[in-house]
């Protein structure tokens, strides 16, 4: 029997790190063959040109889709979605996949889902149903991708319930857990010796891993919102804390954040280092240092990784600002406003409050289900590729009961 060809789309570094277990599971499945479509920030040197990370993981890149994006405005985001639809549709016309897999809530992913769904290619969406209500456009994009897609793989039961609440048929929705957990539970991340060699850290001293993205609806305030964080990090560095800063995504406002980070880098502040991208292997390795009682590590910023990935390592996290409001989280997360002193105090709690650190190490992980990659691959291999899959039905019929619509 012919293997099914699964097109898998990735548009940025963080998304690829989460898709790695899915790619690996599809690659290993005897009934599946992948076609990897790489786009967005992966092709941009300003964001680390993470194509090489993909290749070093042993994956074949079948298509590169260049999307012009200056990370400076919402106008450029809208233009990028439009050009992305055109270019991705050309690639899909050539590859002729049986199915398409797209992740999460990025504008590049929205372009991919529009292209595939409008070409009658059964489309699977990973991580639908989540919430981020803090001013990013992620929720609107994510829910739109859900309604365009034909299969849904969620990270938690709350997300599944929301998708069912959108009127999606129950057989289309699969609660598989958070794919990155597959790698974490297998210990597939950098070990302390490699971290010391590559980042020059002294593991007897505290470490902060920092990433702050723009809030899409407030992108013109991105640098203003970043300044309290940088001031707090400089204070911590002066006290001997080692600070690793990484670039944001290529969203509107991202270019301004990068320019400010480069100014910070050029000041050569002791105990600080700025990286375009650490890559999944090294990034998870730093977070994993928190598992060691003798090592003091905190994840700081407003990246979703601070909520979704850190619980697996028992790593204390400071979540800054509104960007991740509404997202499911563990008790290892401390919230802080855009305030220098509040951020500094929250980080110090994560690094030095022994009761809190021990509680984080023992806390339940709300995303821990395991084997998400193989679960997804199994569904992709076995679901019937027929008109029933393509022709979606709305389960909410809008009955009038006692004067209101249910």
């Amino acid at each position: 029997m012919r293997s099914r060809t699964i097109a898998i789309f990735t548009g940025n570094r963080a998304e690829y790190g989460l898709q790695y277990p899915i790619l690996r599971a599809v690659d290993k499945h005897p009934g599946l063959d992948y076609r990897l479509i790489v786009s967005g920030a992966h092709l941009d040197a300003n964001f680390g040109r993470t194509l090489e990370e993909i290749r070093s993981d042993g994956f074949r890149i079948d298509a590169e889709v260049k999307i012009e994006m200056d990370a400076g405005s919402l106008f450029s985001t809208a233009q990028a979605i439009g050009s992305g639809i055109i270019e991705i549709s050309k690639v899909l016309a050539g590859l002729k996949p049986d199915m398409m897999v797209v992740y999460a809530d990025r504008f590049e992913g929205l372009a991919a889902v529009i292209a595939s769904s409008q070409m009658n290619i059964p489309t699977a969406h990973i991580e639908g149903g989540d919430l981020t209500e803090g001013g990013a456009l992620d929720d609107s994009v994510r829910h739109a991708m859900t309604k365009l897609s034909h299969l849904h793989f969620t990270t938690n039961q709350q997300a599944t319930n929301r998708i069912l609440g959108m009127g999606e048929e129950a057989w289309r929705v699969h609660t598989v857990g958070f794919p990155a957990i597959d790698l974490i539970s297998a210990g597939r991340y950098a070990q302390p010796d490699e971290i010391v060699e590559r980042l020059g850290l002294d593991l007897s001293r505290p470490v902060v891993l920092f990433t702050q993205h723009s809030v899409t609806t407030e992108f013109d305030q991105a640098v203003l919102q970043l300044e309290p964080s940088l001031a707090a990090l400089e204070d911590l560095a002066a006290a001997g804390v080692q600070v690793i800063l990484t670039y944001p995504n290529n969203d509107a406002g991202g270019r301004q954040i990068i320019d400010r980070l480069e100014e910070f880098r050029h000041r050569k502040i002791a105990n600080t280092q700025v990286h375009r991208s650490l890559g999944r292997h090294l990034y998870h390795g730093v977070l994993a240092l928190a598992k060691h009682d003798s090592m003091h590590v905190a994840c700081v910023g407003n990246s979703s990784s601070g909520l979704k990935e850190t619980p697996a390592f028992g790593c204390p996290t400071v979540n800054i600002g509104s960007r991740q409001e509404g997202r499911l989280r563990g008790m290892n997360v401390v919230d802080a406003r855009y305030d220098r002193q509040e951020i500094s105090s929250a980080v110090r709690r994560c690094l030095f409050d022994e009761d809190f650190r021990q509680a984080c190490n023992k806390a339940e992980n709300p995303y821990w289900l395991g084997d998400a990659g193989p679960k997804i691959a199994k569904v992709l291999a076995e679901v019937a590729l027929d008109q029933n899959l393509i022709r979606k039905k709305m389960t909410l019929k809008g009955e009038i009961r006692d004067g209101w619509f249910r």
Side-chain angles (χ1 to χ4, degrees):
M1 187 175 72
R2 182 181 71 86
S3 294
R4 289 183 177 180
T5 301
I6 310 297
I8 300 178
F9 177 88
T10 177
N12 79 344
R13 65 189 184 191
E15 171 199 78
Y16 165 70
L18 305 180
Q19 285 179 301
Y20 178 101
I22 302 168
L23 259 168
R24 183 61 69 207
V26 169
D27 188 31
K28 288 182 176 180
H29 196 288
L32 300 175
D33 189 14
Y34 75 83
R35 296 290 183 271
L36 184 57
I37 303 171
V38 176
S39 185
H42 284 302
L43 309 181
D44 190 337
N46 291 320
F47 295 88
R49 191 168 167 80
T50 43
L51 279 175
E52 300 315 312
E53 179 186 348
I54 297 172
R55 291 193 176 105
S56 67
D57 283 335
F59 293 118
R60 177 191 71 248
I61 296 173
D62 297 282
E64 298 179 18
V65 180
K66 181 70 173 176
I67 299 178
E68 296 298 332
M69 174 74 182
D70 68 7
S73 70
L74 294 179
F75 170 79
S76 63
T77 303
Q79 296 288 300
I81 293 171
S83 67
I85 294 169
I86 293 170
E87 297 305 317
I88 294 166
S89 64
K90 293 177 183 175
V91 169
L92 292 175
L95 293 178
K96 295 181 172 58
D98 295 301
M99 301 183 75
M100 175 79 151
V101 174
V102 183
Y103 203 100
D105 51 24
R106 298 280 304 161
F107 66 86
E108 308 99 321
L110 176 60
V113 166
I114 292 172
S116 62
S117 63
Q118 299 312 297
M119 295 174 71
N120 272 355
I121 299 171
T123 302
H125 181 214
I126 318 294
E127 208 177 291
D130 278 10
L131 292 181
T132 45
E133 303 171 323
L137 295 175
D138 296 3
D139 268 11
S140 299
V141 170
R142 187 187 307 110
H143 301 332
M145 291 170 70
T146 291
K147 293 306 295 181
L148 287 167
S149 298
H150 306 94
L151 288 172
H152 314 286
F153 297 101
T154 70
T155 65
N156 62 88
Q157 189 60 49
Q158 290 182 21
T160 292
N161 293 346
R162 293 189 192 101
I163 291 178
L164 295 174
M166 295 181 203
E168 294 293 295
E169 297 166 282
W171 65 268
R172 298 180 183 272
V173 190
H174 304 267
T175 311
V176 297
F178 187 40
I181 298 298
D182 294 6
L183 293 173
I184 295 168
S185 60
R188 298 191 62 154
Y189 45 78
Q191 299 305 303
D193 288 349
E194 182 181 354
I195 292 168
V196 169
E197 179 182 349
R198 294 181 61 181
L199 297 177
L201 297 178
D202 177 354
L203 299 186
S204 69
R205 294 164 48 208
V207 178
V208 164
L209 183 53
F210 173 82
T211 307
Q212 187 164 322
H213 305 291
S214 65
V215 177
T216 319
T217 56
E218 304 167 359
F219 76 96
D220 55 338
Q221 301 177 47
V223 173
L224 185 65
Q225 293 171 348
L226 178 67
E227 291 299 346
S229 300
L230 294 183
L233 294 175
E234 189 168 350
D235 292 342
L236 290 160
V241 175
Q242 301 166 101
V243 180
I244 304 167
L245 302 92
T246 67
Y247 274 20
N249 291 330
N250 59 333
D251 300 310
R255 168 50 57 192
Q256 293 92 320
I257 292 177
I258 289 171
D259 291 344
R260 182 65 185 90
L261 289 177
E262 284 304 312
E263 291 175 8
F264 189 87
R265 183 212 298 268
H266 291 148
R267 290 176 57 202
K268 297 181 179 179
I269 300 166
N271 296 319
T272 68
Q273 50 184 291
V274 178
H275 297 266
R276 286 188 171 92
S277 172
L278 289 186
R280 171 197 52 78
H281 179 73
L282 196 55
Y283 186 87
H284 281 172
V286 175
L287 295 181
L289 295 175
K291 291 183 173 185
H292 303 268
D293 287 341
S294 62
M295 299 181 192
H296 299 248
V297 182
C299 183
V300 181
N302 64 4
S303 169
S304 62
S305 64
L307 278 66
K308 296 187 299 183
E309 294 163 59
T310 58
F313 300 106
C315 181
T317 297
V318 178
N319 176 56
I320 300 171
S322 65
R323 193 173 190 267
Q324 298 300 333
E325 279 182 13
R327 191 182 283 279
L328 181 68
R329 63 186 65 192
M331 63 76 56
N332 65 312
V333 179
V334 178
D335 292 310
R337 295 170 298 177
Y338 302 114
D339 178 86
R340 177 179 187 169
Q341 187 55 50
E342 191 168 328
I343 294 168
S344 181
S345 296
V347 175
R348 290 177 185 278
R349 181 188 178 197
C350 289
L351 291 175
F352 305 118
D353 184 328
E354 287 303 317
D355 289 339
F356 182 64
R357 291 180 66 237
Q358 290 303 315
C360 290
N361 259 305
K362 298 174 183 176
E364 181 181 350
N365 181 355
Y367 295 98
W368 195 284
L369 291 179
D371 293 326
K375 290 174 187 173
I376 292 169
K378 185 174 188 295
V379 174
L380 295 178
E382 296 178 359
V383 67
L385 299 181
D386 56 18
Q387 283 297 305
N388 193 42
L389 181 61
I390 288 292
R391 296 169 68 174
K392 295 182 65 175
K393 297 177 181 178
M394 169 64 77
T395 64
L396 305 177
K397 301 305 181 184
E399 304 99 316
I400 299 176
R401 300 282 181 89
D402 300 322
W404 61 281
F405 290 89
R406 181 169 62 87

